[in-house]
Amino acid sequence: MTTPATVNASEPTVNAQPVAEHCLANKTLIIFDWDGTLMDSIGLIVDSMHVAGEAHGFETTDKAVQDIIGLSLMKGIEILYRQADESQKLAIQQSYADYYIANSHSTPLFAPIEAMLQTLQQQGKKLAVATGKKRKGLDRVLDASQSHHYFVMTRCADEAGSKPDPQMLTDILDYTQQNVSDAVFIGDSIYDIQMATALGMTSIAVDYGTATSAELAEQNPTYQVDTPQALVDLLCG
């Protein structure tokens, strides 16, 4: 397994992979996951899933919920509550949405993220989002964070295959007329890195979201960062 370049408060380690292929300065398309990567929403997702499951007689753990973040909501519910029948799964999905929407005011973008998006846009980069959210949910948080204008395209789990299926990424590449070699994908779950790897796309794993640093390292991302500021420094430095 190739060791990813790790970025923290110190200088990043040298990546063993070809420099030209993965040089971030050469990337013209920057694709982000949403929850846990741009938006500080993991806590609300976990709380919402607990409330929804318990409302219908099911329980799970924080870690189990964190492990399904990045998948489509229904796929996550199917993994967490395998014993539920179809009508119960639909009811859990609705209860989750009701709680999440009612409390979504508590999920800001991570502190340095908006300035990073502004800088990348000023540099002429095309920015996009590939998320496990449904379209309605992503549009709601884009409106709340007033960040629609940063992204040339966004793709959701109800418009393409659920992660780690790379269809969202290929749709974005097609729309923006960019090649895989022009793009980098940033995410906080193992499914994010698996999705990028399926296309041979440069990837950045962020340790401050759902998965642990060790879990992400096992997926062999091109780069790995431990804080939102480290991501800003890597992309904008």
Side-chain angles (χ1 to χ4, degrees):
M1 183 177 72
T2 304
T3 303
T6 302
V7 182
N8 48 40
S10 60
E11 288 298 311
T13 58
V14 176
N15 195 336
Q17 301 189 50
V19 174
E21 179 184 353
H22 296 292
C23 179
L24 295 176
N26 296 335
K27 303 301 180 184
T28 52
L29 174 63
I30 317 291
I31 310 172
F32 298 93
D33 168 57
W34 187 266
D35 291 308
T37 301
L38 297 181
M39 179 163 276
D40 189 5
S41 50
I42 302 304
L44 179 57
I45 291 172
V46 171
D47 289 346
S48 300
M49 191 61 78
H50 282 311
V51 168
E54 290 166 10
H56 300 281
F58 301 99
E59 294 187 356
T60 187
T61 65
D62 288 358
K63 177 63 170 133
V65 177
Q66 290 169 354
D67 285 346
I68 59 88
I69 294 175
L71 301 175
S72 65
L73 177 56
M74 183 51 75
K75 188 169 184 177
I77 289 170
E78 290 171 349
I79 291 171
L80 291 173
Y81 307 118
R82 298 181 189 277
Q83 67 274 41
D85 61 30
E86 290 306 308
S87 64
Q88 288 172 320
K89 290 173 184 174
L90 289 171
I92 292 170
Q93 179 178 239
Q94 186 59 56
S95 294
Y96 174 97
D98 291 344
Y99 186 88
Y100 189 98
I101 291 169
N103 293 277
S104 58
H105 59 277
S106 64
T107 55
L109 295 175
F110 287 104
I113 291 298
E114 185 161 13
M116 176 191 73
L117 297 175
Q118 291 172 352
T119 297
L120 292 172
Q121 194 174 61
Q122 290 165 3
Q123 291 175 352
K125 308 290 189 181
K126 292 181 173 68
L127 308 181
V129 169
T131 176
K133 284 184 173 299
K134 288 186 174 182
R135 168 54 58 189
K136 184 183 294 185
L138 179 63
D139 284 346
R140 185 175 59 252
V141 294
L142 286 169
D143 287 340
S145 59
Q146 298 183 332
S147 54
H148 267 286
H149 62 285
Y150 292 118
F151 306 107
V152 298
M153 186 184 182
T154 59
R155 206 69 173 150
C156 300
D158 55 345
E159 300 166 335
S162 179
K163 299 175 184 179
D165 185 323
Q167 185 184 350
M168 282 189 276
L169 297 183
T170 57
D171 287 349
I172 292 170
L173 290 171
D174 289 345
Y175 179 84
T176 58
Q177 297 185 312
Q178 302 291 294
N179 298 316
V180 170
S181 59
D182 299 322
V184 56
F185 182 62
I186 300 104
D188 67 310
S189 77
I190 63 171
Y191 309 112
D192 292 324
I193 307 308
Q194 289 170 355
M195 183 168 69
T197 300
L199 294 182
M201 184 179 291
T202 300
S203 61
I204 304 173
V206 300
D207 295 350
Y208 52 81
T210 59
T212 66
S213 176
E215 288 170 338
L216 289 167
E218 287 179 356
Q219 301 302 317
N220 198 24
T222 316
Y223 300 89
Q224 190 164 353
V225 298
D226 59 357
T227 66
Q229 187 59 55
L231 177 63
V232 173
D233 294 343
L234 180 61
L235 287 175
C236 300

